[in-house]
Amino acid sequence: MESTVPCKVADELEELLREASQVFSDYVRSSRDPQAPVIPRIEKLNLTIPEEDGMGAAGIWDDIQTICGAATNTWSERFLYKLYASPTPIGVVGEALVGLLNNNAHVFQASPIGALIEDKVGRQLAELAKFPADTAAGLTFPGGSYSNMHALMVARNRRFPELKRGGFAGAMAGGEWRRPMIFTSAHAHYSIEKAAVAAGIGLDNVVSVPTDAAGRMDSHALRVLVEQAIANGGAPFFVNATAGTTVLGAFDPIDEIAVVCADHGLWLHVDGSWGGPLALFSSDEELGRYRVDRADSFTVNPHKLMGVPLQCSFLLMRDGLAPMREALGLGASYLFHGGSPDVLDDVGDATMGCGRRPDAIKLWLAWRYHGTQYYRRRLAAARRLALDFADMVSARPPTALGCWRLVARPQSTCVCFWFVPGQPHSAPLPSWGHATRLLCARLNSLGHVLVDYATVDLPAGPLPTFFRLPLNSPHVTKETLASVLAAIEQTAQALTEEDPRCFVADSS
């Protein structure tokens, strides 16, 4: 029977959502316009908080439209800046749903449907990673850095269980003590070092493993460094491999690294925050060589290559959540009452936090909406586009101002390159990096495109600063990328007209 009781809050929500639907869709429509700026001019927003009556519905939409008009436009195909882009439309609906429910996923009864969905999606991702179906599970965290940190904390407390109660002071006072040490690629994300700080390991006990010329961890060097650490009285316990490094998009040789870890009883974590979806969904034989299934834990961020709204990150555990509960759980009886034994237990006690958004709902809803093949096609298309773009850079003819050089053949969907001012044989090497930064700054200041740059050290030495374009959005086309290359050339022309020696620099 339909209720006749008035519900003012529902009426208010209906009115606001009706207006929001129009404002938000208009924003996306205008953002997708080919002439829409990627970095709009920031309009002056009245930040005053009313002391008396608020603005109400009549006035708040002006503020919302001002915010939309001043926000960085991730919906544009010319947003080529960081490792994410616009969400899918169903992703926006999922984000709204999570906000509407306002459930806390720390205990089962506070979010039973969220718990069931998180369990299902975690197991589904673990299945794609080819983890053991009878044990593997996954939990969401606010981002890849937090996922990585939790993997490290679990590995630390599993290897040194005395730390959970006595801490480092107690452990060292108890007799013979060996320094915990972790190993990670020189090209790994800085979150591994951050996690080492948070875990009390310390930066001095993070060993940077050299890479090969393609930016992949050198597994032979890893073995040597681990054995040296043991010989010098250290206690290696954790190795971080990367599936898609932040700069070059390199995939470490996980199978080879796993052998070293097995020989020395080390926890193997794979940070797939960036390239993880490629390893999970790709049928590409090249990527199939990377054995994610050898890992003890694996981070993947659907909010990057999969178009789920920020933030959505999963930590997948080969042996399920039991090691997390054992390593981190405190069993606070005032909060955790045993969950629902016939369904699922409380999961919050397996994390370092308490309040948890049921972010798995966003991925589940999008996955149900699109289906698995959508992600396979989306990721395969992004991979093909990266390879095609690399060919475009390599084949692009030189101009009177300079020529193009590819840093390396892309291993994922990041393409790295230089526009080299003048002729390479006559221009000093440092001017390459100076030119990249100068061009990038001018391009971005114009607002029509947003691109990024990076640098990296390789065995032969540090590379000059180069353009790095991550291809995350299905809206990006070859035409988009050709227009970016043309814009770089036009910008080089404009800068040279202003100052013929603008690209000359003493250092990169």
Side-chain angles (χ1 to χ4, degrees):
M1 180 177 178
E2 190 173 311
S3 173
T4 58
V5 179
C7 186
K8 293 184 178 180
V9 68
D11 293 339
E12 181 182 3
L13 178 62
E14 181 180 15
E15 179 184 344
L16 288 170
L17 288 179
R18 185 184 299 113
E19 184 70 23
S21 174
Q22 190 63 56
V23 171
F24 291 175
S25 58
D26 285 348
Y27 167 69
V28 173
R29 191 172 290 108
S30 64
S31 297
R32 294 286 300 128
D33 188 286
Q35 302 306 314
V38 182
I39 309 180
R41 299 190 178 203
I42 299 178
E43 299 181 34
K44 188 172 180 59
L45 178 66
N46 183 356
L47 301 177
T48 304
I49 305 298
E51 291 290 339
E52 303 296 335
D53 292 338
M55 301 289 293
I60 206 68
W61 291 110
D62 288 338
D63 288 345
I64 291 175
Q65 288 175 323
T66 299
I67 291 171
C68 288
T72 299
N73 181 7
T74 62
W75 290 89
S76 171
E77 70 272 16
R78 288 167 281 106
F79 177 83
L80 299 163
Y81 188 57
K82 297 297 184 184
L83 301 182
Y84 64 95
S86 63
T88 58
I90 190 63
V92 177
V93 174
E95 184 68 45
L97 177 59
V98 170
L100 172 71
L101 299 177
N102 202 36
N103 281 189
N104 193 335
H106 58 342
V107 300
F108 180 83
Q109 294 298 341
S111 181
I113 189 62
L116 291 169
I117 288 174
E118 184 171 18
D119 176 70
K120 172 60 179 177
V121 175
R123 292 181 186 279
Q124 192 80 22
L125 290 170
E127 180 181 322
L128 290 175
K130 296 182 171 55
F131 279 4
D134 57 337
T135 59
L139 288 183
T140 59
F141 287 93
S145 293
Y146 284 93
S147 294
N148 292 340
M149 182 186 72
H150 277 77
L152 178 62
M153 295 293 289
V154 173
R156 187 201 71 164
N157 286 6
R158 185 171 183 175
R159 173 64 176 79
F160 307 101
E162 63 272 21
L163 294 181
K164 184 175 180 180
R165 181 163 295 277
F168 283 103
M172 288 186 286
E176 182 181 355
W177 175 250
R178 307 181 74 189
R179 290 187 304 132
M181 300 180 71
I182 70 177
F183 297 77
T184 188
S185 161
H187 291 184
H189 191 260
Y190 76 94
S191 61
I192 302 302
E193 293 176 300
K194 287 267 193 178
V197 172
I201 303 299
L203 294 177
D204 290 345
N205 296 312
V206 180
V207 179
S208 179
V209 182
T211 70
D212 62 16
R216 299 170 298 204
M217 184 192 289
D218 184 333
S219 59
H220 175 71
L222 171 66
R223 180 179 292 277
V224 171
L225 289 168
V226 167
E227 292 174 354
Q228 285 178 348
I230 295 171
N232 292 331
F237 74 97
F238 183 91
V239 174
N240 172 71
T242 306
T245 55
T246 304
V247 176
L248 295 179
F251 280 71
D252 288 338
I254 296 171
D255 207 21
E256 298 172 14
I257 295 168
V259 174
V260 179
C261 291
D263 289 346
H264 294 283
L266 311 180
W267 183 287
L268 174 56
H269 175 67
V270 174
D271 178 10
S273 297
W274 163 233
L278 286 169
L280 296 181
F281 288 93
S282 178
S283 58
D284 189 327
E285 292 182 2
E286 178 188 5
L287 294 173
R289 295 186 292 110
Y290 300 99
R291 296 287 303 280
V292 174
D293 62 301
R294 299 291 299 273
D296 296 291
S297 52
F298 178 63
T299 293
V300 60
N301 286 355
H303 68 237
K304 292 183 176 175
L305 283 168
M306 296 175 67
V308 178
L310 286 159
Q311 292 173 318
C312 183
S313 176
F314 270 84
L315 175 62
L316 310 180
M317 302 289 289
R318 162 179 286 278
D319 295 331
L321 305 187
M324 297 181 72
R325 288 195 178 91
E326 181 181 354
L328 305 175
L330 298 177
S333 60
Y334 61 86
L335 181 61
F336 304 111
H337 305 320
S340 178
D342 58 330
V343 186
L344 291 174
D345 204 351
D346 299 331
V347 298
D349 203 28
T351 75
M352 291 291 292
C354 183
R356 302 179 68 247
R357 281 169 53 90
D359 284 326
I361 289 175
K362 296 185 292 186
L363 176 56
W364 176 82
L365 197 68
W367 207 340
R368 290 270 294 178
Y369 181 85
H370 290 296
T372 299
Q373 286 305 316
Y374 164 81
Y375 292 110
R376 295 194 190 280
R377 290 192 298 268
R378 174 175 173 147
L379 293 163
R383 175 74 178 138
R384 284 195 304 272
L385 185 62
L387 295 172
D388 289 344
F389 183 42
D391 291 338
M392 289 168 58
V393 171
S394 298
R396 194 169 182 87
T399 71
L401 291 169
C403 59
W404 298 87
R405 290 289 183 270
L406 197 64
V407 173
R409 193 75 176 158
Q411 298 179 53
S412 58
T413 68
C414 272
V415 183
C416 303
F417 59 92
W418 292 282
F419 179 73
V420 185
Q423 298 303 314
H425 63 273
S426 60
L429 187 64
S431 67
W432 295 26
H434 173 67
T436 300
R437 293 191 297 273
L438 197 60
L439 288 164
C440 197
R442 173 61 67 90
L443 268 174
N444 290 347
S445 70
L446 298 175
H448 190 66
V449 65
L450 187 57
V451 294
D452 202 4
Y453 62 80
T455 190
V456 75
D457 289 347
L458 291 176
L463 294 178
T465 304
F466 49 79
F467 286 100
R468 182 199 64 160
L469 268 62
L471 306 181
N472 314 304
S473 169
H475 303 309
V476 179
T477 64
K478 290 182 183 179
E479 291 72 24
T480 304
L481 298 171
S483 71
V484 171
L485 297 182
I488 293 174
E489 291 174 341
Q490 292 162 8
T491 303
Q493 177 69 43
L495 287 170
T496 303
E497 290 174 356
E498 294 172 12
D499 178 3
R501 291 183 55 79
C502 65
F503 294 128
V504 177
D506 295 329
S507 65
S508 62

